[in-house]
Amino acid sequence: MLSQETRTIIKSTVPVLEEHGTAITTVFYKNMFEAHPELLNIFNHANQKQGRQQAALANTVYAAAVHIDNLEAILPAIVQISNKHVSLGIKPEHYPIVGEYLLKGIKEVLGDAATDEIIHAWAETYGVIADAFIGVEKDMYENMETQENGWSFFKDFTIARKEKESENITSFYLKPVDGKNVPSYQPGQYISVRMSIPGEQYLFNRQYSLSQAAQEDEFRISVKRDADNDPNGRVSVYLHDEMNVGDRFEVSAPAGEFVLDTEKTTPVAFVSGGVGITPMMSMFETVATLTPERPTAFLHATRNESMHAFDKDIQKSVAAMDNASYKTLYSDQPQGYITHAVLEEYVDITGDVYVCGPVPFMEAMIQQLQALGMKEEQIHFEFFGPAVALQTV
């Protein structure tokens, strides 16, 4: 437990963190990677270049300071981040390195304002938070290892099939090299793929949603090909252009908190934008298979018909379900957006809604769903990449 003195000091740093948090985490990552370049084999380089990782960490540190009297309030965030960590192979020995360079970052940015008392208080606080992460992640790793066909960290997989779903999305069907089956997973979860790319010094990690209901012998990921000049596109371009059936890379066990509640039979709606359709496919296929009588709506927004993945698959499932509706809107056509009126027509506000897509899309959808009278606990959403603060008010 943190002392009252420590908590008082931490609370006094809240305004400073609000102003300088991202500057601190930017310095932290720069210095840590210079001293420990091997960690670049774990972190997503594109998120670093875009500043998303720095902002996400700054938000976490700020939240810890704000809730220092009740750190249980940040437990949901710890669990969400821990899911990302276990899919990337973060280990207990990484935490002291992070702690060392986070404290150095605070000192470097704040200078003399970062007194010995402040640094000591943050060192103590970081220790408590790190222990919470390590404990949660230890349980997650153990659960991954002990489930049937499970493993922790990474395992070699091969591409069994490669199928084009739309102009910019291709599905990869993945099977373990050792010939074993894969573990079951919750609809909505993701895996990390880890690979080396010729000409690149460090390994690349990317997280992709599992895009079909659980199968016993394979995973499916459906990857959007990013632009050649997009820093986030290095892996997607390599997968699309260079990797083919028989090629191998490493895969983590499934993880993630954005999952369908399969026990419910109340109305459910899936609202997706662009490649945000991928976790929805796993959820929707699960409903179609396990509870086809469940009232279900599927709304999807994309640019045009050529960009529209899985359309025939969804139509086929909807036709076989008892009470399902499906609508797609193309943004390059008139009235091509999911509006308040569309949501009002298709979404039963007594049920649950799952939302995934670009951040502005999710903000707009959540605002409109709340305007329809839906409560926070009825609306579930997922970020691709580090979480950011949604502007939904």
Side-chain angles (χ1 to χ4, degrees):
M1 291 294 292
L2 295 170
S3 68
Q4 182 59 51
E5 181 185 4
T6 294
R7 285 184 279 140
T8 301
I9 294 170
I10 295 298
K11 280 187 276 191
S12 75
T13 66
V14 166
V16 177
L17 291 172
E18 191 169 19
E19 183 178 351
H20 300 291
T22 303
I24 290 168
T25 55
T26 301
V27 166
F28 151 73
Y29 278 118
K30 176 179 172 290
N31 292 344
M32 183 176 72
F33 289 141
E34 284 177 358
H36 292 274
E38 73 279 3
L39 293 180
L40 287 166
N41 288 311
I42 296 175
F43 285 83
N44 182 318
H45 313 164
N47 287 334
Q48 291 291 321
K49 289 176 183 173
Q50 294 168 336
R52 291 187 66 184
Q53 196 74 58
Q54 295 88 329
L57 178 60
N59 288 340
T60 303
V61 172
Y62 176 74
V66 168
H67 296 288
I68 195 67
D69 286 327
N70 178 28
L71 284 174
E72 284 188 4
I74 67 167
L75 188 57
I78 288 175
V79 171
Q80 183 186 33
I81 296 166
S82 290
N83 271 279
K84 301 272 188 186
H85 284 178
V86 297
S87 80
L88 292 169
I90 300 292
K91 298 179 179 179
E93 55 263 35
H94 293 133
Y95 281 93
I97 299 171
V98 170
E100 176 187 350
Y101 286 91
L102 186 60
L103 294 175
K104 286 179 177 176
I106 292 172
K107 185 67 179 173
E108 183 174 332
V109 172
L110 301 186
D112 292 341
T115 62
D116 289 347
E117 289 80 11
I118 286 175
I119 295 297
H120 179 75
W122 265 110
E124 190 180 345
T125 301
Y126 176 80
V128 169
I129 296 170
D131 286 345
F133 272 106
I134 290 167
V136 169
E137 289 159 18
K138 179 173 181 286
D139 290 343
M140 288 180 177
Y141 281 129
E142 287 177 357
N143 289 337
M144 287 173 166
E145 282 183 12
T146 55
Q147 74 175 124
E148 188 176 3
N149 300 311
W151 73 94
S152 58
F153 302 105
F154 287 90
K155 179 174 177 172
D156 286 332
F157 274 65
T158 186
I159 299 172
R161 302 199 309 285
K162 180 179 178 181
E163 296 180 358
K164 196 171 179 66
E165 306 289 0
S166 73
E167 186 179 307
N168 64 342
I169 294 177
T170 293
S171 287
F172 297 83
Y173 292 80
L174 311 175
K175 295 194 174 189
V177 169
D178 63 13
K180 291 183 179 177
N181 283 340
V182 298
S184 185
Y185 57 86
Q186 295 173 274
Q189 290 193 302
Y190 55 80
I191 56 173
S192 286
V193 303
R194 183 169 75 176
M195 65 182 67
S196 58
I197 295 179
E200 298 286 354
Q201 184 176 1
Y202 299 106
L203 296 173
F204 282 78
N205 295 275
R206 289 293 186 274
Q207 289 160 333
Y208 294 112
S209 298
L210 292 158
S211 62
Q212 66 180 5
Q215 307 290 319
E216 66 176 20
D217 64 338
E218 67 182 14
F219 291 147
R220 183 178 79 176
I221 58 173
S222 302
V223 180
K224 175 188 172 187
R225 188 193 190 283
D226 294 301
D228 290 336
N229 60 354
D230 184 340
N232 202 36
R234 192 69 183 92
V235 174
S236 73
V237 170
Y238 188 69
L239 279 168
H240 275 249
D241 295 359
E242 305 294 337
M243 300 212 81
N244 293 296
V245 171
D247 289 336
R248 299 180 177 188
F249 47 75
E250 294 177 295
V251 170
S252 72
E257 288 284 288
F258 177 63
V259 296
L260 175 72
D261 186 338
T262 55
E263 299 296 314
K264 288 187 176 180
T265 56
T266 47
V268 63
F270 304 110
V271 181
S272 57
V275 76
I277 197 172
T278 52
M280 302 305 188
M281 289 304 298
S282 174
M283 295 185 189
F284 176 68
E285 285 185 6
T286 302
V287 172
T289 304
L290 296 183
T291 51
E293 71 287 349
R294 187 175 183 182
T296 304
F298 200 138
L299 300 174
H300 181 58
T302 191
R303 189 179 307 162
N304 53 49
E305 189 175 359
S306 70
M307 299 282 196
H308 189 178
F310 307 114
D311 183 38
K312 288 187 174 66
D313 296 337
I314 298 168
Q315 288 188 40
K316 184 178 176 182
S317 293
V318 166
M321 296 168 74
D322 297 345
N323 186 4
S325 57
Y326 170 48
K327 185 175 180 66
T328 300
L329 295 104
Y330 298 139
S331 61
D332 65 359
Q333 294 181 359
Q335 300 177 323
Y337 294 92
I338 300 175
T339 61
H340 182 95
V342 172
L343 291 170
E344 191 170 29
E345 180 181 351
Y346 282 85
V347 175
D348 187 328
I349 63 170
T350 66
D352 288 86
V353 181
Y354 294 83
V355 183
C356 190
V359 169
F361 170 85
M362 293 202 297
E363 288 175 341
M365 293 303 99
I366 293 169
Q367 282 176 351
Q368 298 290 357
L369 291 165
Q370 289 173 339
L372 287 173
M374 297 196 79
K375 297 182 174 64
E376 189 177 320
E377 59 268 23
Q378 294 175 278
I379 304 170
H380 317 273
F381 57 90
E382 171 82 317
F383 292 99
F384 286 169
V388 298
L390 284 179
Q391 304 300 315
T392 59
V393 179

